[in-house]
Amino acid sequence: MTSTPGTAGDLAVGMVGYAFMGAAHSQAWRNAPRFFDLPLHPRMRALAGRDASRVADAAERLGWDSTETSWQALVARDDIDVIDVCTPGDTHAEIAIAALQAGKHVLCEKPLANSVEEAEAMAEAAEKAAAHGVRSMVGFTYRRVPAIALARQLVSDGRIGTIHHVRAQYLQDWIVDPQAPMSWRLEKDKAGSGALGDIGAHIIDLAQFITGDSIRRVSGRLHTFVGERPLPSEHSGLSGTAGSGTGQVTVDDAATFLAEFGGGAMGVFEATRFANGRKNAIRIEVNGSAGSLAFDFEDMNLLHFFDGSEDARTAGFRRILVTEDQHPYVAAWWPPGHIIGYEHGFTHQVVDLVNDIAAGNAPTPSFADGLRVQRVLAAVETSSDTDSWQEIQP
Amino acid sequence: MTSTPGTAGDLAVGMVGYAFMGAAHSQAWRNAPRFFDLPLHPRMRALAGRDASRVADAAERLGWDSTETSWQALVARDDIDVIDVCTPGDTHAEIAIAALQAGKHVLCEKPLANSVEEAEAMAEAAEKAAAHGVRSMVGFTYRRVPAIALARQLVSDGRIGTIHHVRAQYLQDWIVDPQAPMSWRLEKDKAGSGALGDIGAHIIDLAQFITGDSIRRVSGRLHTFVGERPLPSEHSGLSGTAGSGTGQVTVDDAATFLAEFGGGAMGVFEATRFANGRKNAIRIEVNGSAGSLAFDFEDMNLLHFFDGSEDARTAGFRRILVTEDQHPYVAAWWPPGHIIGYEHGFTHQVVDLVNDIAAGNAPTPSFADGLRVQRVLAAVETSSDTDSWQEIQP
Amino acid sequence: MTSTPGTAGDLAVGMVGYAFMGAAHSQAWRNAPRFFDLPLHPRMRALAGRDASRVADAAERLGWDSTETSWQALVARDDIDVIDVCTPGDTHAEIAIAALQAGKHVLCEKPLANSVEEAEAMAEAAEKAAAHGVRSMVGFTYRRVPAIALARQLVSDGRIGTIHHVRAQYLQDWIVDPQAPMSWRLEKDKAGSGALGDIGAHIIDLAQFITGDSIRRVSGRLHTFVGERPLPSEHSGLSGTAGSGTGQVTVDDAATFLAEFGGGAMGVFEATRFANGRKNAIRIEVNGSAGSLAFDFEDMNLLHFFDGSEDARTAGFRRILVTEDQHPYVAAWWPPGHIIGYEHGFTHQVVDLVNDIAAGNAPTPSFADGLRVQRVLAAVETSSDTDSWQEIQP
Amino acid sequence: MTSTPGTAGDLAVGMVGYAFMGAAHSQAWRNAPRFFDLPLHPRMRALAGRDASRVADAAERLGWDSTETSWQALVARDDIDVIDVCTPGDTHAEIAIAALQAGKHVLCEKPLANSVEEAEAMAEAAEKAAAHGVRSMVGFTYRRVPAIALARQLVSDGRIGTIHHVRAQYLQDWIVDPQAPMSWRLEKDKAGSGALGDIGAHIIDLAQFITGDSIRRVSGRLHTFVGERPLPSEHSGLSGTAGSGTGQVTVDDAATFLAEFGGGAMGVFEATRFANGRKNAIRIEVNGSAGSLAFDFEDMNLLHFFDGSEDARTAGFRRILVTEDQHPYVAAWWPPGHIIGYEHGFTHQVVDLVNDIAAGNAPTPSFADGLRVQRVLAAVETSSDTDSWQEIQP
């Protein structure tokens, strides 16, 4: 760190990758100190990417002071305190482990890795680094949506009681059209898995976070509805247009699974890119002995809460507009009723990370948390391959 | 009455009119004793209408034991205890007053009359009759929707506090098409007024009922968007098809008005048949110093309640599904979550009327309540004609 | 039948059982001819129950002309055309088969039986009886909710396309309190199963009905959260109060299962009596290649429809208020926007049954449909017991 | 301008005021160039405020390069192209007119001024300045919410038809507690008016913007529910705590008014700070001959659209999630379903202003548009004072 924790010093950040996630992380580093009182001032020092010209353009646009054309060069720099990993999953392990070994704090995008083995190595590296005061965090940003953070609080406060049910869905529809072209997200060697790892990972983490419990075993089924797709005219991401020839889709289009939690709760999970009309519907419901919660990311500033102790005459799900000063993260933003959006979760992630680094605390979700999600993902895949229930290693 | 109040005797009913309202009232008389324990057993003794053949068909279909071809004959019958008036508004006064004078209890559809003068005469007749134990009620059935009755209870219990705002809308769209044909409801001499009297009357009554307060003065504006419409091929009601020639629309298509309540609350009212896409949206919101209420008839089993005394962290409008045994009228129906519909309000009206007759209580809404609504309707019309605020006689 | 099909003759009905379902069926027989033009006039001739005094009271209250103290006596009567079976599931097979063999049409409540074996015998009996013009129907009334019937139409019309996802939940909370007392619904020998058979059966039938497809295999998990409950002070049904001593709950409190449909759709099902705050939430969503549907029984007059062919700029789930004359069953009721309730599904069931009997058509859902649901229920139980996927016999 | 329009030069901004609006504007200037391709690069050059120490702190926190302790000094600087006025309404006229006369482009917060006279002077100054290529815009940012911009497009495209009804509400509750302390917003000489000018101004502008029509006359009623409030312990804004002594509230707590539009539409407006439980509910509904629209800012990424030309069987309000690339402003942000928040409207305002300056176009809403709103505000006040309808000067 370029300055002493606890003083208003600087915290120099280097980021690898500058696509969708890179843009989201950049705005977070840029805006966090404008709205929150941070103990360290983040400096957007360097951006790394393989193509010199494109990385220079991105740095200009996103506000980074300098560039590197390899992540190795970035990690080697003395003037960097934090490495922010925004690349596809197949590169996370190598970059993050190297950075931790170089004594850099690491913020790594989710899913932590493309395999349990990689994730284990990362969690081990994180644990070793922590012994030397080096911090790490995995980017399950949805934990930082105020309504989700409030949900966690209500469970912790005992307002929900013993949890009986968790139903969680992550519904998108961006490849429901069979003519939507190939992308790296549909190739197993780059993306690890499809809907399961990309979006299912989020609801697994959220379910475990909100309940404070872990999934013990799963029975799942993955499915690929469209096995062959046109190649993109050029590599053009989500919005690509079709070119000539076709490619094989080697990941799942959708994943469903039943889960049993350590505490006995019954879970039902579903992640899909084929839910026509649903764009980014992260929907979580929790039913407990004392109350219930319901959340939908398409209305992300709302939390629905049923208090089972209320009189039956006036009981009902409360539509809590999570924009009050008393709500997590909210006091830094706007007056009540002035809602925030998707990107604010990333800003809150930066805030929590910077506070933890300055205070010498272990950030959450940790790489160990990321590993736990990875194990669930792997168990769901094995379960689907073998038509059997799979236990999750605790 | 053909039997002593308090015993399980009979209560013989005669009904005048058998159109939309007649069908709704008939099912109420038929079903009320099947679901509720009533102190008197309603007998559907006779139905009156001018056309012998049509009234006979209707009696057969709706379940009435006999028929009459004039209301006078019905009122003259010794074996009738209650006259149920389901005719257009221009006939209410004559029938109801005659019935009261003949010692029959009267249930009269809303609006009570087509003018304040008629309504005054009716209220006076009702008061005189009451001195002899003859009961009367005006059919503002929406008061008997459980969610509305619960709203009234919450205000009475002090859960809403001093009322600051009432916003009430009754939105329909059945004549938004300029080619929708003429009907008696669009003629002033038959219908009295248009959207104002037909549907605006309901929200005036509901606002006064829920708040327990009266409107003191109004500033309103009536408007007719489509002044001329095709004549129906035959007289065919709401769903009529156009014939040849056109007729003049002599009532308002929509009415808006501001209101000041006796207790100082500010009211905003709107009744229209031109709200494209809204079918029967009776929407009422009440904001008070201690809490708020919101209701929409398109989801009539729900009441939204905000309790201002809750902690800001967990406060929110509660979506009360008004289907619990603890809710008004509900215990007689189905288990929680099994909703009821439009017609059940009419059944509850019968239940309340029969109970009041048996117990010798004065039913509500009384003819005096109906007169109060009529005075507001008249004040809104005068206000619109003269571009001035109009006081309502207390 | 006491009169020739096709003429406006009578159809004499005898009902067995007079609890919750008996009340719902009675109002249906009573009201159907008042709102719909039926080719035969239902006559509520006789009600059967074991306790002479209680069955007499019920017949009086519900409107049945006579009583019998055994179902055998009822089935033996010459003046009965239809036997309506409203008893607990363990008696369905015996009664229904005897009635069919006696040449009576049979309407049997769901689930068809308590075991696949019984259901097979019933389906076989129904098929034999059909050869002699004797009709049978199983009471999955939710098919007759207009919004559900519309959903089926939209799938049939191709507006949803190839179906990818079905997610269906039936959520209640009536025994979430561990002190809620025992009832026959919690005993396996009487009820067959718990949440699975009681309410899960409905969503299995609805999912197969709406999609027009069948479930091919399942992986499920049943769970009992509260294994021991206080005995009721007396046998007092759902609303019983606790007495002394406890009883063993021998059925599931909740059931979750994954399903694979014949056409490849992925299904996720959940039935529970432990979803705090959810009273009767039957929620079904269907996502297809051309569009999507969403339904929640707590707002049973609404169907949400996403048309994937719409321009992205104006595409969105349409909130269809299913109260138009163009909607199934609706024209017989009230004007647009005047909603109907839970019980109307039973009325529509009577309408369809009477029409089918008069026309000589085979009613749906047939006993074979009921058997199909029973096989899914059995497969889910076996799957839960053995932690394996189970195929459903086609 | 410090660089030639049309080239990627700089646009130097100076801002006056740094409270709530100052923070919102600062993030807009900071983020706009990161997400949108702008023809000029905004530079946050200087921030002006009276207290040297506080303005220095604010400049550091909000990201401004330098400070001034008077707006006059800011306006006098040669290195400033745009003056952004974020002060209370009583200072708008003086600052904006001076800036325009000095050849600076001006962005002025709403309401444009505290009186019609001031607003007229400002509009005149803007018109003169425009002749020399100097641009001005008033900050009705809600026009830049994508759902609102889409609403305007649908009206322009003819999808709504002739407009019959506009109902608009701006509901807050921040002073419903009578012990909430005094603030400058409750003093007429500083704030001009209360709920009417502060929030009613927004819905007046939105109604005129969406419909493309102007309000012709109004009948209104203002009311102050709580006339005396505790003085704040210190001047501490909205969240102030009570001190000793009380102050007089000299503005309205709530305003209601009827409106008649030039094209004949009937309007109903309501602005209040006393709607318990409503935090920032800007609700607008428009009903026209061809369709309808509904919007609520508490769900600001949604627009509800009813297309009256759809078949009755499948017609319904469409819940449009306004997060598609085809929607106004959205392509610059996140993938579909990833919602944006309150502050993004300010960013869009900067984008539109910078584009207009570079292109030499007249920005909207212009000062003339602001004057039009001011005239409606004044007419409502006069109407309330005189209990009469008031015409608005065209």
Side-chain angles (χ1 to χ4, degrees), chain B residues 164-165 167 217 219 221 225 254 258 260 266 268 270 272 276-278 283 285 288-289 291-292 306 317 387, chain D residues 164-165 167 217 219 221 225 254 258 260 266 268 270 272 276-278 283 285 288-289 291-292 306 387:
Chain B
H164 296 311
H165 292 288
R167 67 192 65 84
R217 59 182 197 125
S219 170
R221 181 176 172 239
F225 293 107
L258 306 181
E260 189 180 326
M266 304 174 78
V268 179
E270 188 175 5
T272 179
N276 218 329
R278 303 298 179 191
R283 306 193 296 197
E285 293 185 86
S289 58
S292 287
F306 182 82
F317 274 83
D387 276 355
Chain D
H164 297 309
H165 291 288
R167 69 191 64 84
R217 60 183 198 124
S219 170
R221 180 173 173 240
F225 293 107
L258 306 180
E260 189 180 326
M266 304 174 79
V268 179
E270 187 174 6
T272 178
N276 218 332
R278 302 298 179 191
R283 305 194 295 197
E285 292 185 86
S289 58
S292 287
F306 181 83
D387 276 355

Side-chain angles (χ1 to χ4, degrees), chain D residues 347-358:
Chain D
T347 306
H348 302 159
Q349 178 172 267
V350 158
V351 168
D352 287 344
L353 179 61
V354 173
N355 278 319
D356 285 337
I357 289 173

Side-chain angles (χ1 to χ4, degrees), chain D residues 307-329:
Chain D
D307 183 341
S309 69
E310 277 165 8
D311 183 64
R313 202 170 64 109
T314 53
F317 274 83
R318 301 181 195 179
R319 178 187 180 274
I320 304 175
L321 187 57
V322 189
T323 59
E324 301 287 319
D325 282 0
Q326 292 85 345
H327 292 140
Y329 303 109

Side-chain angles (χ1 to χ4, degrees), chain A residues 175-369:
Chain A
I175 51 172
V176 68
D177 178 355
Q179 294 306 310
M182 283 299 297
S183 99
W184 70 264
R185 287 179 187 270
L186 305 182
E187 297 172 38
K188 191 169 182 56
D189 54 355
K190 295 223 185 68
S193 75
L196 178 64
D198 184 22
I199 56 179
H202 277 300
I203 51 175
I204 293 167
D205 181 67
L206 285 180
Q208 298 190 137
F209 170 65
I210 292 173
T211 62
D213 197 358
S214 294
I215 294 174
R216 183 161 59 192
R217 62 184 196 122
V218 293
S219 170
R221 180 173 173 240
L222 308 187
H223 191 63
T224 305
F225 292 107
V226 175
E228 200 165 336
R229 289 183 175 275
L231 294 173
S233 47
E234 53 179 310
H235 192 73
S236 49
L238 302 189
S239 55
T241 50
S244 61
T246 61
Q248 290 300 315
V249 174
T250 47
V251 298
D252 57 289
D253 286 333
T256 59
F257 63 98
L258 306 181
E260 189 180 326
F261 284 76
M266 304 174 78
V268 179
F269 291 77
E270 188 174 5
T272 179
R273 294 160 169 170
F274 270 69
N276 218 330
R278 302 299 178 190
K279 301 306 172 181
N280 204 53
I282 305 172
R283 305 194 295 198
I284 301 205
E285 292 185 87
V286 176
N287 305 125
S289 59
S292 288
L293 296 168
F295 171 83
D296 183 341
F297 186 76
E298 290 187 358
D299 282 315
M300 62 168 268
N301 294 270
L302 295 180
L303 181 67
H304 300 273
F305 167 47
F306 181 82
D307 183 341
S309 70
E310 277 164 9
D311 182 64
R313 202 171 62 110
T314 52
F317 274 83
R318 301 180 195 179
R319 178 188 181 273
I320 305 174
L321 187 57
V322 190
T323 59
E324 300 289 319
D325 281 1
Q326 292 85 344
H327 291 140
Y329 304 108
V330 172
W333 297 106
W334 314 108
H338 296 70
I339 71 171
I340 61 171
Y342 165 70
E343 71 214 47
H344 294 73
F346 292 89
T347 307
H348 302 160
Q349 177 171 269
V350 158
V351 168
D352 288 343
L353 179 61
V354 172
N355 278 319
D356 285 336
I357 288 174
N361 292 332
T364 58
S366 66
F367 278 19
D369 291 327

